[in-house]
Amino acid sequence: MSWRNAMLATSALGALSFGGAAAAQDGTVEEIVVVGSQIEGAKVTAALPVTVVDAAQLDSVAATSGDDLFRSIPQMGDVSFNSSYLPNSSNSARGDVGSVNLRNLGVGNTLVLLNGRRVVAHPTSRADDFLVPVLTYNTNAIPVNGLKRLEVLRDGAAALYGSDAVAGVVNTVLQDDFDGLTVEAQYGGAEGTHLREGEINVQAGRNFQEGRGNISLFANYTSRTALNAFDQDYTASADKRPLFIGTRFEGAASLDGRVSQNPWGNFTATGVGTVRQNGVAITSSAGAFHVQPAGFSGCQVAFVSGTCLDDGSAAVSGADRDLRFDTNAWNTTVIPELKRVNLFLTGKYDITENLRFFGEVGYYTATTHATQTSTATLSSLPITVPTSNYWNPFGQAVFANGQANPNRLPGLNISAAGAPVTITSYNFADVGPTKVDVENNQWRFLAGLKGEKFGFKWEGALLYSKAEVEDQSDGISATLLQKQLALSTPDAYNPFNGGSLNNPSVGDATPSSQAAIDAIKVRTIRRNTSSLALADFKVSKVDLFTLPGGDLGFAAGVEFRRETQKDDRDARLDGTIKFTDIVTGVTYGNDLIGSSPSPDTKGSRTVTSAYAEFAIPIVSPDMEIPFVRNLEAQLAGRYESFSDAGEVAKPKFAFAWDVIDGLRFRGSWAQGFKAPNLEQVNATLVTRSNTRTDWIRCEADLRAGRIANFAACSRSGSTTAQRAGNPDLKPEESETWGMGVVYEPRFVPEEFGRFTFTVDYWRVKQEGIVGLFGEGNALTADYLARLNGSSNPDVVRAAATADDIAMFAGTGLTPVGQVLYVKDQYRNLQPQEARGLDIGVMWNLRGTEWGDFSVNFNAAHLIKFYRSPSPEIGALLAAREAGKINPGTTITGGGDQVRQDGRPEWKWSASATWSYDQWTVGAFTQYIGDVEDTGLRDSAGQAWIVDSQITTNLYGQYEFTEGLAANTRLRLGVRNLTDEKPPVESENGYLGSLYQPYSRYWYVSVRKSF
């Protein structure tokens, strides 16, 4: 097959700006694309946009993980499963995990195959843009150095492959059929940080029975140190204000990410009204007070060790802002410490000339260790300090053992029995940072037979794959804590001792006793599992019968699969162990401080499917029809029956039209579907807490003159949402179509190389996307309703306290209490539409006296990404547009999404490679366009712009051919040569869904073959 014909047959847009197939020195290639068609040996993929990355092309990217690799493909969207997403919460997928998101259509909309068959999903979910739990294939489970090639079908393919192939299909093909031994070692690190990474790769294989059989093994071991928050200025502190000096957001209060839950503590003395000492009010009329350094304004009475008590809650949005706790102060982990092992064994044996056995055994394990911030309280789980507490300043005058209370303040206007104190807001900094250990395991077993009979190629296999995650982290038991709080000895836990006088926002300089700390700490364990069992049988014939235009190809198959997922929460979270307050008698649904109740989730489904595909030759070159040199089409359809989501049947049509030699037009139309995942269907109650802003309180601050605009509002806090699964969810429907052109100019002489130009336009429309209204939107709706004299019933609040009433005094607004929780349920939402353009330019020149050259370019342009807002969200957007609510509010879930957060308008990559004798030099350049940071808006509603970035990788290598060093390759490389830092973002300092949190990275590798 000539280079040109192979290029047209594969229609491969050069992945990572490389050509779609690796050419041999004589200018011929082997047809390698298997994704996009089930007809073995057919050229129907000529009609489809397929990106192919081979092992040689991976070198320029220098990826050390699947996450690195997928981030470098322009058509891949943002990476929402990453180390910066809620690393301190066991509700998120943590550890060695990355996600797949083709076209930015969302995690779960891209089907991932391994050697042509499905892979098991990572069992731990995270919330997507619609706030529903989504599942991904873990890209870090891909052994990057064991890849033979990576194939990306950038086209809807549910008609061929089934559910999830809405945006396309990624097929990872691992190395096999190897005879020999190759060992490679690599070491690298990020400049100016503690991140260091070493790996060893072994590939071994052996032919036997005179080539009838082969067994091949790929093995990888990776060890990486952690990237620490203190390593770089943009992660060193949760207070991001210094990063925005000189911008229009300089000094914006919302940039101060230090949390209001701090070791200084906010408390409420219950049942006694205003507490006074010698006539001086220590608390508000509702009994609220807080501890602060004596040097801060507002002190009412002196307390212990340079501290004082002040009435009311701390004004952390104003005078007491420096009491906020810096969650990065523990030198938290940005990227965790890692140990990873990947083993993959393949085998084959030709039983007869027309019958082959093949098999796979895969094993992946990764353990990570991370340091995250200390535990803080949630309003949904209040803790009462009994009057018997040794440190309670309003405690009993005399303990039950007859001992006088040395810490009760003198001169109080309360009885000798004392007053219990509720911990309103507190960070257990003296307990120390949270240690998080995550272990991922994944197994894959496959056995199959393939052969040929009556001219048909047939293949069948049995597959079983399982993934497990064990997430262990430090925690604090509410039951054990209150037990320790009830003690009348110095070993009682002391929440009243404040933090650090020298640096109030960091740490706790006066910790409770070690005995008290040890008594309340627990180790929590979350175990998640998922499995995939699959049996399939398929047949294909490239020449079923002959038409005037050529041979008609045919394929058909059946598949049965069973999928399971189980989320086994810690007993202190799932309701097995509950907390009953010994003072109030109230029972709560969980026993873990800082976490919301999370019942276990378990679900399974079976799927039966059948498909058929035809490759239809319509016009062939020998028919000599003007302007129709060649015309062929693909027609396919698939039926799937889900045990829980009903039945679907979807078609696909594609065509390829060669106008003249070297000019091809191609197009496709397909319908697709995505079944709701098992957690969306089976979850009984999903309680999640996210930082949300209570806009009605911002309005009160604005009217009272406490803030100048909403950008300065800091009325944000942990808001609990009670979400529920929905067994009545329907599959998400989609329609995809695309048009493209592939052009290779024939007038260019061969001595100038081969040029290829590709342009593809695509559009995807989706309906019934599973989502939520969202607790953030619910609070905005409550804000709008309360401005008009009503309220949002889904926002459940506590009764307004005397302090709340004082806060709203003079504003003309009705006082409201704190948000207890927001009610929500998963549902099928309004449609969304995305459109874009892929552009590829490839040039290759081989066999010259100066060596071989290639220069390539690959771009992805997002033209449109529009989500039709639900009626409720549409009403909020209209209200904001009409000025009925402040333009500084945040509304999610509708409108134009281009350049929003992780969706840049442009992404492109370019590369250049030169090889001469034993020398090879390669360069890779990547551009990511700017995006709006929707979490940071000014008073006019204009968002902060996260800048664009261009980075360049460079490597050089030499292959020794003589003496003891023969068959040895030495490579030196650098990623991000110009040391570009990730552009500044408001929440984490960098946008983890688009950028890695480090800059220049050096590496060296040595490979030896035997």
Side-chain angles (χ1 to χ4, degrees), residues 159-226:
L160 281 170
Y161 297 102
S163 179
D164 303 341
V166 174
V169 180
V170 176
N171 184 30
T172 54
V173 183
L174 300 185
Q175 299 180 31
D176 62 355
D177 207 13
F178 183 77
D179 190 27
L181 174 64
T182 298
V183 180
E184 180 179 3
Q186 179 169 306
Y187 182 78
E191 191 174 304
T193 74
H194 291 86
L195 181 68
R196 298 293 180 266
E197 199 165 16
E199 61 179 312
I200 298 175
N201 299 296
V202 177
Q203 187 174 1
R206 180 71 178 266
N207 292 328
F208 58 91
Q209 291 279 304
E210 298 180 343
R212 290 179 63 183
N214 176 271
I215 186 168
S216 299
L217 171 69
F218 169 79
N220 165 267
Y221 172 74
T222 300
S223 177
R224 183 187 67 209
T225 59

Side-chain angles (χ1 to χ4, degrees), residues 189-196 227 230-232 979 999-1000 1002:
E191 191 174 304
T193 74
H194 291 86
L195 181 68
R196 298 293 180 266
L227 179 68
F230 286 1
D231 285 346
Q232 292 159 124
D979 198 25
S999 43
R1000 186 155 50 209
W1002 294 91

Side-chain angles (χ1 to χ4, degrees), residues 120-124 135 441-443 464-469 528-532 563-566 678:
V120 67
H122 186 72
T124 309
L135 300 170
N441 293 295
Q442 190 168 304
W443 298 267
Y464 180 76
S465 188
K466 185 176 183 180
E468 295 180 341
V469 176
N528 288 16
T529 59
S530 59
S531 69
L532 169 68
E563 303 168 346
T564 71
Q565 186 209 9
K566 182 179 180 181
L678 292 173

Side-chain angles (χ1 to χ4, degrees), residues 552-569:
L552 181 141
F554 168 76
V558 293
E559 179 184 281
F560 174 84
R561 66 180 187 271
R562 182 175 187 270
E563 303 168 346
T564 71
Q565 186 209 9
K566 182 179 180 181
D567 185 356
D568 184 6
R569 295 293 190 137

Side-chain angles (χ1 to χ4, degrees), residues 569-583:
R569 295 293 190 137
D570 189 88
R572 298 184 185 277
L573 274 176
D574 65 12
T576 303
I577 301 176
K578 299 180 179 181
F579 166 61
T580 299
D581 193 303
I582 60 176
V583 177

Side-chain angles (χ1 to χ4, degrees), residues 209-262:
Q209 291 279 304
E210 298 180 343
R212 290 179 63 183
N214 176 271
I215 186 168
S216 299
L217 171 69
F218 169 79
N220 165 267
Y221 172 74
T222 300
S223 177
R224 183 187 67 209
T225 59
L227 179 68
N228 299 319
F230 286 1
D231 285 346
Q232 292 159 124
D233 58 357
Y234 49 88
T235 57
S237 173
D239 186 358
K240 305 303 179 186
R241 289 176 298 176
L243 303 178
F244 289 80
I245 292 176
T247 75
R248 72 183 192 277
F249 288 98
E250 182 174 348
S254 58
L255 290 170
D256 186 357
R258 296 177 299 175
V259 297
S260 57
Q261 296 95 336
N262 57 67

Side-chain angles (χ1 to χ4, degrees), residues 62 114 117 132 161 165 175 182 205 246 309 338 360 382 426 445 481 483 524 624 644 765 885 920 939 956 963 1009:
L114 179 62
R117 286 182 170 84
V132 300
Y161 297 102
Q175 299 180 31
T182 298
L309 299 184
L338 168 71
E360 303 171 359
Y426 183 71
F445 305 94
L481 171 63
K483 180 181 178 181
T524 65
E624 298 182 350
D644 59 351
K765 297 181 71 174
I885 56 176
T920 300
S939 58
S1009 296

